[in-house]
Amino acid sequence: MTVRVDSSLEGIDWPQAKADLAADDFDNGRSPRALQASFAQSQHVAIARDGDRVVGMARLLSDGVCNAYLLDVWTLSAYRRQGIGSAMVRWLMDQVPGQHVGLQTDDAESFYAGLGYAHQPVFMSAIAGTWLGNDANEPRG
């Protein structure tokens, strides 16, 4: 089957997506509902599908003018090294022409360098309150 990339969140099994992320050691602790909210509230998303199966996802936050932030780029391990991650990143970058697109990575520097990303002098971050301590990550009652 051919993998396609689109921006639709329809038909995604979010508990399965979370399980797949966890199996690939890419789970950052969001509940399935919070994972869904993260993607639903992003300006741009890229979902890679093999038939109905989600095999990759990525999202991009943007101010719509000059700055964007790429995050949650993931490809199911059995589908890696087939150009799916690159296709998702390129697709997202096409959505924000003329904007500076930043990202943070722990171990995929060569992947992003191959897509034109370069080191910036400093990237800093802070967590507001407690990591994932918000209503989006709470189970529904």
Side-chain angles (χ1 to χ4, degrees), residues 11 15 28 42 45 59 80 82 105 112 133:
N28 71 357
S42 296
V45 299
R59 63 193 186 101
R80 290 188 185 147
Q82 297 178 32
T105 184
Y112 292 108

PDB file of all heavy atoms in Angstrom, residues 11 15 28 42 45 59 80 82 105 112 133:
ATOM      1  N   GLY A  11     -11.045   9.950  11.855  1.00  0.00           N
ATOM      2  CA  GLY A  11     -10.790   8.518  11.859  1.00  0.00           C
ATOM      3  C   GLY A  11      -9.557   8.069  12.630  1.00  0.00           C
ATOM      4  O   GLY A  11      -9.223   6.890  12.593  1.00  0.00           O
ATOM      5  N   PRO A  15      -6.383   6.396  21.246  1.00  0.00           N
ATOM      6  CA  PRO A  15      -5.744   5.439  22.168  1.00  0.00           C
ATOM      7  C   PRO A  15      -4.713   4.555  21.448  1.00  0.00           C
ATOM      8  O   PRO A  15      -3.648   4.260  21.998  1.00  0.00           O
ATOM      9  CB  PRO A  15      -6.928   4.620  22.703  1.00  0.00           C
ATOM     10  CG  PRO A  15      -8.087   5.584  22.627  1.00  0.00           C
ATOM     11  CD  PRO A  15      -7.846   6.339  21.343  1.00  0.00           C
ATOM     12  N   ASN A  28       5.221  11.147  25.431  1.00  0.00           N
ATOM     13  CA  ASN A  28       5.657  12.131  26.422  1.00  0.00           C
ATOM     14  C   ASN A  28       4.690  12.249  27.591  1.00  0.00           C
ATOM     15  O   ASN A  28       4.784  13.181  28.376  1.00  0.00           O
ATOM     16  CB  ASN A  28       5.893  13.497  25.775  1.00  0.00           C
ATOM     17  CG  ASN A  28       4.617  14.181  25.341  1.00  0.00           C
ATOM     18  OD1 ASN A  28       3.534  13.639  25.459  1.00  0.00           O
ATOM     19  ND2 ASN A  28       4.750  15.380  24.819  1.00  0.00           N
ATOM     20  N   SER A  42      -3.540  22.694  16.872  1.00  0.00           N
ATOM     21  CA  SER A  42      -2.373  23.158  16.127  1.00  0.00           C
ATOM     22  C   SER A  42      -2.825  23.777  14.805  1.00  0.00           C
ATOM     23  O   SER A  42      -3.808  23.344  14.220  1.00  0.00           O
ATOM     24  CB  SER A  42      -1.423  21.994  15.850  1.00  0.00           C
ATOM     25  OG  SER A  42      -0.912  21.483  17.071  1.00  0.00           O
ATOM     26  N   VAL A  45      -1.244  20.310  10.725  1.00  0.00           N
ATOM     27  CA  VAL A  45      -0.906  18.937  11.097  1.00  0.00           C
ATOM     28  C   VAL A  45      -0.640  18.139   9.829  1.00  0.00           C
ATOM     29  O   VAL A  45      -1.159  18.454   8.757  1.00  0.00           O
ATOM     30  CB  VAL A  45      -2.014  18.252  11.932  1.00  0.00           C
ATOM     31  CG1 VAL A  45      -2.249  18.999  13.228  1.00  0.00           C
ATOM     32  CG2 VAL A  45      -3.305  18.119  11.139  1.00  0.00           C
ATOM     33  N   ARG A  59       3.156  18.043  13.751  1.00  0.00           N
ATOM     34  CA  ARG A  59       2.341  19.249  13.840  1.00  0.00           C
ATOM     35  C   ARG A  59       3.225  20.479  13.883  1.00  0.00           C
ATOM     36  O   ARG A  59       4.422  20.393  14.171  1.00  0.00           O
ATOM     37  CB  ARG A  59       1.387  19.193  15.024  1.00  0.00           C
ATOM     38  CG  ARG A  59       2.051  19.132  16.377  1.00  0.00           C
ATOM     39  CD  ARG A  59       1.033  18.764  17.470  1.00  0.00           C
ATOM     40  NE  ARG A  59       1.632  18.831  18.785  1.00  0.00           N
ATOM     41  CZ  ARG A  59       1.483  19.837  19.639  1.00  0.00           C
ATOM     42  NH1 ARG A  59       0.734  20.882  19.327  1.00  0.00           N
ATOM     43  NH2 ARG A  59       2.077  19.829  20.807  1.00  0.00           N
ATOM     44  N   ARG A  80       9.945   3.592   9.149  1.00  0.00           N
ATOM     45  CA  ARG A  80      11.030   4.574   9.103  1.00  0.00           C
ATOM     46  C   ARG A  80      11.971   4.317   7.932  1.00  0.00           C
ATOM     47  O   ARG A  80      12.037   3.227   7.394  1.00  0.00           O
ATOM     48  CB  ARG A  80      11.797   4.562  10.422  1.00  0.00           C
ATOM     49  CG  ARG A  80      10.938   5.143  11.520  1.00  0.00           C
ATOM     50  CD  ARG A  80      11.668   5.356  12.808  1.00  0.00           C
ATOM     51  NE  ARG A  80      10.687   5.804  13.795  1.00  0.00           N
ATOM     52  CZ  ARG A  80      10.749   5.520  15.066  1.00  0.00           C
ATOM     53  NH1 ARG A  80      11.750   4.823  15.544  1.00  0.00           N
ATOM     54  NH2 ARG A  80       9.812   5.960  15.874  1.00  0.00           N
ATOM     55  N   GLN A  82      11.792   5.549   4.974  1.00  0.00           N
ATOM     56  CA  GLN A  82      11.093   5.440   3.704  1.00  0.00           C
ATOM     57  C   GLN A  82      10.678   6.819   3.184  1.00  0.00           C
ATOM     58  O   GLN A  82       9.921   6.915   2.222  1.00  0.00           O
ATOM     59  CB  GLN A  82       9.853   4.553   3.847  1.00  0.00           C
ATOM     60  CG  GLN A  82      10.180   3.130   4.230  1.00  0.00           C
ATOM     61  CD  GLN A  82       8.937   2.277   4.412  1.00  0.00           C
ATOM     62  OE1 GLN A  82       7.922   2.479   3.760  1.00  0.00           O
ATOM     63  NE2 GLN A  82       9.021   1.315   5.314  1.00  0.00           N
ATOM     64  N   THR A 105      15.194  18.909  19.240  1.00  0.00           N
ATOM     65  CA  THR A 105      15.336  17.461  19.080  1.00  0.00           C
ATOM     66  C   THR A 105      16.400  16.945  20.037  1.00  0.00           C
ATOM     67  O   THR A 105      17.379  17.627  20.323  1.00  0.00           O
ATOM     68  CB  THR A 105      15.685  17.085  17.621  1.00  0.00           C
ATOM     69  OG1 THR A 105      15.715  15.657  17.521  1.00  0.00           O
ATOM     70  CG2 THR A 105      17.010  17.659  17.183  1.00  0.00           C
ATOM     71  N   TYR A 112      17.034  16.288  10.659  1.00  0.00           N
ATOM     72  CA  TYR A 112      16.606  17.675  10.413  1.00  0.00           C
ATOM     73  C   TYR A 112      17.642  18.457   9.608  1.00  0.00           C
ATOM     74  O   TYR A 112      17.282  19.276   8.775  1.00  0.00           O
ATOM     75  CB  TYR A 112      16.270  18.377  11.726  1.00  0.00           C
ATOM     76  CG  TYR A 112      15.028  17.795  12.359  1.00  0.00           C
ATOM     77  CD1 TYR A 112      15.100  17.006  13.503  1.00  0.00           C
ATOM     78  CD2 TYR A 112      13.776  17.993  11.786  1.00  0.00           C
ATOM     79  CE1 TYR A 112      13.958  16.451  14.061  1.00  0.00           C
ATOM     80  CE2 TYR A 112      12.636  17.438  12.338  1.00  0.00           C
ATOM     81  CZ  TYR A 112      12.737  16.671  13.476  1.00  0.00           C
ATOM     82  OH  TYR A 112      11.605  16.116  14.018  1.00  0.00           O
ATOM     83  N   GLY A 133       0.325  19.200  33.827  1.00  0.00           N
ATOM     84  CA  GLY A 133      -0.641  19.465  34.891  1.00  0.00           C
ATOM     85  C   GLY A 133      -1.665  20.478  34.417  1.00  0.00           C
ATOM     86  O   GLY A 133      -1.616  21.638  34.809  1.00  0.00           O
TER      87      GLY A 133
END
